[in-house]
Structures are given as structure tokens and as C-alpha cells.
Amino acid sequence: MGKINGATLMARSLKQQGVEYMFGVVGFPVGPIAEAAQAAGIKYYGMRNEQSASYAAQAVGYLTGRPGACLVVSGPGVVHGLAGLANAQQNCWPMILIGGASAVHQNGMGAFQEERQVLITTPFCKFSHAVEHTHRIPFYVEMAVRTSIYGRPGACYLDMPDDIILGEVDEEKVHPAARVADPPRMIAPETEIERALNVLESAQRPLVIVGKGMAWSRAEDEVRAFIERTQVPFLASPMGKGVMDDNHPLSVGAARSHALQEADVIYLLGARLNWIMHFGKPPRFNKDVRIVQLDIAAEAISQNVPAEVALVGDGKAIVGQLNKGLERRQWFYPKDTPWRSAIAAKAEANAKQIAPQAADDTAPMNYYRAFKDISAILPENAVIIGEGANTMDIGRTQMPNKNPRLRLDAGSYGTMGIGMGFVIAAAAVHPDRPIVSVSGDAAIGFSGMEIETACRYGMPVKIIVLNNGGIGSGIAELPRDRLTIPPRVMSIGSGYEKLMEAFGGRGWYVEDPKDLRKALNELMAHDGPGLVNVKLAPTAGRKPQQFGWHTS
Ligand code: ADP
Ligand code: MG
């Protein structure tokens, strides 16, 4: 047997563990790992900034069920990658950050880009460790992969000093590791399944909340069977969208506030009662609401509101148990309840309120007018990425998802700048699907240079920028004294489409709503990357709190 170096061992270990995608920015000392990854058959994407690379790695984790890898240089590279670790931790998405580090024998000497990387990554990780011997690399990779996907998913960090990367060991001295199996699917005790169903039977105004934990556990078949069997209305969380078809008649999406306020029993399935769900507290929730909570993390049970029944384990397995339990019962939720008609009436009233805005052809246009055309051209099988304040919030309500894991946005951490990383990840994982990103103009600014990455890899991604010239809103004209520009305001009419053209894609700029449909059709028909830059009225905003998920 011959010798093997740390870079090759790292690449082969990742591949052996089913890590198929790596995103990174190379430099000292990690270049050899990227090259070895390519040689090992891992798809490597060279990004422009470590933040985007780390966002891409976790989106791959969520989309495929195996963690994506993010490769960064020492010091500042790891610091930039922290953004992704934090986002992954908050979203409960798996990823592995691999940070280069200065050589061990230079520790403490003020080495190039020296940083205490295990220390700074630890608060954002389930597992963070330095690799201290080349022959133990497979051990650490197995540990990181397993930890990232077992239990509540999350991020892991591996520190790879220069001398470990370049170090060579006899192949027979390498400690082998077994391939990590898919996560075990733990079930709940039958007594708790029966208790949960008893609570449901006693409900007057039941509601199911479907979170991204259900999308992650691939519970769509079971959740669909459960909703069809019980006929209970449901609310999808921002990225739980599509586990149930958003256009399903039992969706309360358009009557969200009403449904949350009035429900007396809530089945909380793979979702948290955090800020997105107003903490489950009055006045947004009924103060006497009874919660049946399904979560893989036992310690998540009863956060903010005590759960009457706790179903701890895997979403797919446990909703399957609920469905089995229902087979033994006669109970059906009646079709013509006041609860169902109240929700339907509220949804209709909300739709009526939007209609005039969607029909308003004034230039520059408002959000609802823009989304009218965007939703009309969106293919059903598209991965939809959204970021920005109004753009994301309104887009969530106006761009329906029919199937799970096809919506990616700022998520639990509310991170702006995720957009292009998620776009690259979605295009890598789903070359067969249209990838459509609808971004605010402020949001695209965080990671716009990744447009070059998309162009370089020939990804035919479709980017739509809703450009109101600012964070939340813009201004009609910039003041002469530039130091008095309001902090939220950006340049007016910025040509983001030219960024796309600069790297070989196609761009469109639209000011008149009458031209929007044509530009969008051309964007979708174009066989390469494209960007439609849509000028919105600077004061375009959302209608008063109705659909939103903000706490105020
Ligand atoms: P959302 O933002 O969609 O409400 P959250 O990220 O707040 O979703 O919550 C998702 C929850 O799903 C987390 O509490 C997480 O522990 C849980 N979860 C993750 N994986 C599983 C799984 N396989 N089965 C059940 N719950 C899961
Ligand atoms: Mg804006």
C-alpha cells in the first residue's frame, strides 16, 4: 500500500460519507482539498465569498438529506463562514464547514491568518473539532456527518491545519470509518398517539401547523394523508410551504391571523413557536390553545407554550403512526363547521383587499402588480428562492408551492444575503428544475457577485429583482447633500440586470408594468442565466399587517 495525504483522505472520506457537494473559496492552506475533492468525484463550486459558500452548503443539506461541505481558508475565511454556521443552526439544517488553519507547530506565534477557529465556531455548531492527526480524518468526517443529520440537524466544523492537509500517512495506518446510515426514524409511544388523537377529537377549531421539520423528514405523503383523512385546516410555515399544496382548499394561508387567533387545538408538526409564530402567545394566539407538539428534539417540547401531548421523534414516522391510529377511529372533522366557513370568508376578504393593487397598472408598479405576473409565469416544479423584506414576505403569499423543499428564504434567522448561495445550491442539486429567485434590491446586494459563479457554471438560473431602491422602501430623489440620504435608501433605478450581462447572462430592465410579462416570458424561455430588474415605486410596501409573519 502507498501513502496518502490529508487532502486526499479528507476528500475520499467525504465522498464515502455521501457528501456530494462542496462550495468554497480556495487559498492557503485548503487548495489541495478542493482539488482532491474534484478528483474524488465531489462536485466542487468555487464561490466569490465564504458567506455564500456556507449558505449553499446548508441548502444542499436540506435539499438532499446529506450535509453539503463548505471549504474556507484560515482566519478571515472561517470568520466569513460563521454566517452560514449561525444560519444553519437556527434553521436546523446540516452542513460541514472545513476551515484551513495555520500549521500546528506555529500555534500562538502569530502565524498567517491564525485564529482560534474551534473556539469561535463552537457556539454555532453541534460539533466542532480540530483534526490533529492525518490518519484520523475519516473518524472526524464520520463524526461530523453523523452529528449534522442525526437528531435535530445542524452544522459541524472541522479545523484542518496546513501540516495535517499536507501530511502523508501509510494507507494501512488510516483509521477507517463506517458509512453513516440515514437518520433513524424514532416513533412515539402508542399511548401518546392515542392521547394526541383524543385531543384532536375534542377540538372545536383545530389547526395543523406544518413546519420545515416535516419537509426535512420527507413526511409529505404522511402529512397529506393526515390532512385528507381528518379534513383539518392547516397553515404552512414559511419553508414548510409545499409539504401540503399551498392551493389546497384546507390551507389557511390567506387567513393566517384569524386561524392562529381562534384555533383551540394546534398540532405543531416540525415547527417552533418562535418569533415567526408570534411565540404562540396572545393576542396572536388563543390564550387557552392546547398544543400537540411533534418534534425530533425533546428539549424543544413546550418552548413558550406548554404542550399537552408531546410526540418526540421523527416526523414521517410519527405522522404515519397518527394515520394508523385514525384507521381505528370513526371520527371525522365535520365539513360544514363555522370554523371552516369563517376561515374561508376571511381568506376571501383578504383576496378582495389585494385585488385592486394587483390590477393597478401605474408605473412604477407596486409589489402585488409585480407578483401577479411573476406567479403567472412560475413553473410548478420551480425551486423558488426569496429574500428581502417586503419582497420575501409578500412573495411568500403570492407565489404558491405545490411540492415540498421548493421554497428557500431567509428562514428562522432572518438572514439577508442567503439568496445567491441558495440559488447556486438549488441549481447544483436540481439541474432538471427551473430555479427562480425573487429578491429585493437591498437583498441582492449582499451576494450579487455570485451571479458570476452562476454564469461560470452555466447555471440557467432566473433572477428577478424587485427594485424599490432601498431597504423596505426607497426615495423619489436623492437629496443634494449626500450625507442626509436616509440610512435605508439606495441608488435609484440601479441597473442590476447589467451585473448579469457583465458575466455573460441576459438582462432586462422593466419600468412599465405592461412590459413585465413579456420580459418574464423571455427570461424563462432564455436557455442561460438571466436577470429581470423591475423598478417598483419607491414607497411600494405591503398592505397593513394581514399576511405577514412579523411580530409587529
Ligand atoms: P419552521 O421555521 O418551518 O417553523 P423550525 O425550524 O422553527 O421550522 O422548526 C423545525 C423543527 O423541526 C425543529 O424544532 C426541529 O427540531 C424539528 N425537526 C427536525 N427534524 C425533524 C424530524 N425528522 N422529525 C420531526 N421534527 C424534526
Ligand atoms: Mg428594496
Side-chain angles (χ1 to χ4, degrees):
M1 269 203 203
K3 295 221 179 239
I4 187 166
N5 69 18
T8 302
L9 196 49
M10 170 56 81
R12 289 192 191 159
S13 301
L14 289 168
K15 179 76 180 173
Q16 181 217 349
Q17 293 297 349
V19 175
E20 298 290 343
Y21 302 88
M22 182 184 280
F23 305 85
V25 180
V26 293
F28 173 82
V30 297
I33 297 181
E35 284 166 24
Q38 281 186 324
I42 293 174
K43 296 182 187 75
Y44 179 85
Y45 296 90
M47 308 284 287
R48 303 305 300 264
N49 182 292
E50 292 91 352
Q51 282 191 17
S52 289
S54 62
Y55 299 142
Q58 65 194 263
V60 158
Y62 174 64
L63 294 173
T64 68
R66 272 334 244 198
C70 174
L71 183 71
V72 302
V73 302
S74 42
V78 174
V79 169
H80 293 171
L82 288 180
L85 289 185
N87 195 67
Q89 168 161 289
Q90 294 297 325
N91 268 346
C92 314
W93 285 1
M95 67 170 282
I96 300 176
L97 181 68
I98 300 164
S102 38
V104 173
H105 63 83
Q106 294 175 348
N107 276 352
M109 296 175 70
F112 173 65
Q113 297 184 334
E114 182 178 358
E115 185 52 84
R116 291 181 295 169
Q117 296 168 175
V118 172
L119 180 71
I120 63 175
T121 51
T122 294
F124 305 109
C125 280
K126 290 180 78 179
F127 172 70
S128 173
H129 215 287
V131 178
E132 78 294 318
H133 291 297
T134 300
H135 66 265
R136 296 195 73 215
I137 288 173
F139 168 86
Y140 283 112
V141 171
E142 190 271 352
M143 179 88 177
V145 169
R146 180 161 42 82
T147 307
S148 75
I149 56 177
Y150 279 29
R152 176 184 268 181
C156 293
Y157 175 74
L158 294 179
D159 205 53
M160 286 289 282
D162 181 38
D163 42 343
I164 304 294
I165 294 173
L166 298 178
E168 296 205 330
V169 287
D170 289 337
E171 281 195 62
E172 70 241 34
K173 291 230 175 90
V174 170
H175 291 195
R179 187 182 197 276
V180 175
D182 285 343
R185 294 193 182 274
M186 294 162 295
I187 58 170
E190 280 304 319
T191 48
E192 297 312 289
I193 298 291
E194 290 306 309
R195 282 185 63 220
L197 293 174
N198 289 341
V199 171
L200 184 62
E201 276 196 29
S202 70
Q204 302 289 311
R205 297 176 305 280
L207 177 70
V208 174
I209 296 181
V210 184
K212 62 183 178 295
M214 303 311 280
W216 160 255
S217 78
R218 280 141 178 86
E220 50 270 18
D221 291 347
E222 289 73 14
V223 172
R224 288 172 183 206
F226 181 78
I227 299 283
E228 293 304 343
R229 166 63 177 81
T230 60
Q231 292 291 307
V232 170
F234 70 89
L235 173 71
S237 77
M239 286 194 274
K241 275 162 65 72
V243 171
M244 290 294 301
D245 183 345
D246 274 335
N247 286 326
H248 191 287
L250 285 167
S251 167
V252 305
R256 183 185 194 271
S257 304
H258 179 80
L260 290 181
Q261 244 161 19
E262 300 296 324
D264 66 341
V265 165
I266 289 181
Y267 263 48
L268 186 66
L269 306 182
R272 284 171 290 183
L273 294 178
N274 57 13
W275 64 279
I276 292 181
M277 290 295 168
H278 320 288
F279 310 106
K281 301 274 191 213
R284 307 302 298 267
F285 280 64
N286 178 342
K287 72 173 180 11
D288 299 318
V289 66
R290 301 162 70 196
I291 305 281
V292 172
Q293 187 177 358
L294 190 175
D295 204 290
I296 201 158
E299 66 274 24
I301 301 294
S302 295
Q303 187 186 14
N304 296 330
V305 183
E308 181 166 332
V309 183
L311 303 173
V312 178
D314 176 66
K316 183 180 178 74
I318 292 178
V319 181
Q321 286 183 283
L322 290 168
N323 290 337
K324 273 250 151 50
L326 282 164
E327 281 172 14
R328 299 189 291 267
R329 295 188 178 224
Q330 291 300 315
W331 177 83
F332 285 87
Y333 187 62
K335 268 207 153 60
D336 300 315
T337 54
W339 175 230
R340 294 265 298 268
S341 9
I343 289 173
K346 196 78 196 163
E348 201 177 313
N350 285 339
K352 271 213 183 102
Q353 215 184 332
I354 291 172
Q357 287 196 66
D360 181 355
D361 275 340
T362 317
M365 68 195 97
N366 71 67
Y367 283 100
Y368 291 94
R369 175 63 185 83
F371 277 116
K372 185 178 86 169
D373 284 3
I374 294 169
S375 60
I377 56 94
L378 264 181
E380 240 173 36
N381 63 340
V383 186
I384 306 171
I385 292 118
E387 68 170 334
N390 296 318
T391 302
M392 183 174 72
D393 290 355
I394 300 173
R396 183 177 293 134
T397 69
Q398 303 300 302
M399 297 187 291
N401 286 94
K402 201 178 171 64
N403 286 300
R405 298 175 296 282
L406 298 180
R407 165 84 187 176
L408 302 172
D409 71 19
S412 304
Y413 207 32
T415 307
M416 291 303 141
I418 42 76
M420 285 306 301
F422 287 1
V423 163
I424 306 275
V429 170
H430 292 303
D432 49 327
R433 292 179 183 274
I435 311 299
V436 182
S437 163
V438 186
S439 177
D441 60 315
I444 195 84
F446 287 88
S447 58
M449 196 54 75
E450 302 295 348
I451 289 172
E452 187 276 327
T453 311
C455 290
R456 180 164 20 106
Y457 287 98
M459 296 169 158
V461 300
K462 314 300 176 194
I463 317 272
I464 301 164
V465 177
L466 298 188
N467 185 354
N468 66 355
I471 300 172
S473 61
I475 207 168
E477 198 182 330
L478 293 185
R480 278 271 266 297
D481 177 357
R482 295 298 163 107
L483 287 176
T484 64
I485 296 175
R488 66 170 201 286
V489 164
M490 319 252 151
S491 303
I492 298 162
S494 290
Y496 297 105
E497 76 286 359
K498 297 204 171 69
L499 263 180
M500 182 58 94
E501 289 168 355
F503 303 118
R506 268 194 73 183
W508 293 259
Y509 180 72
V510 177
E511 260 193 39
D512 189 326
K514 294 198 187 67
D515 302 329
L516 179 58
R517 188 62 186 269
K518 179 163 174 285
L520 291 172
N521 284 337
E522 288 175 10
L523 171 75
M524 299 311 290
H526 177 52
D527 66 359
L531 189 153
V532 172
N533 183 14
V534 185
K535 182 167 162 97
L536 297 190
T539 52
R542 51 215 272 273
K543 70 190 187 54
Q545 178 63 50
Q546 189 84 53
F547 287 88
W549 50 307
H550 284 315
T551 42
S552 57

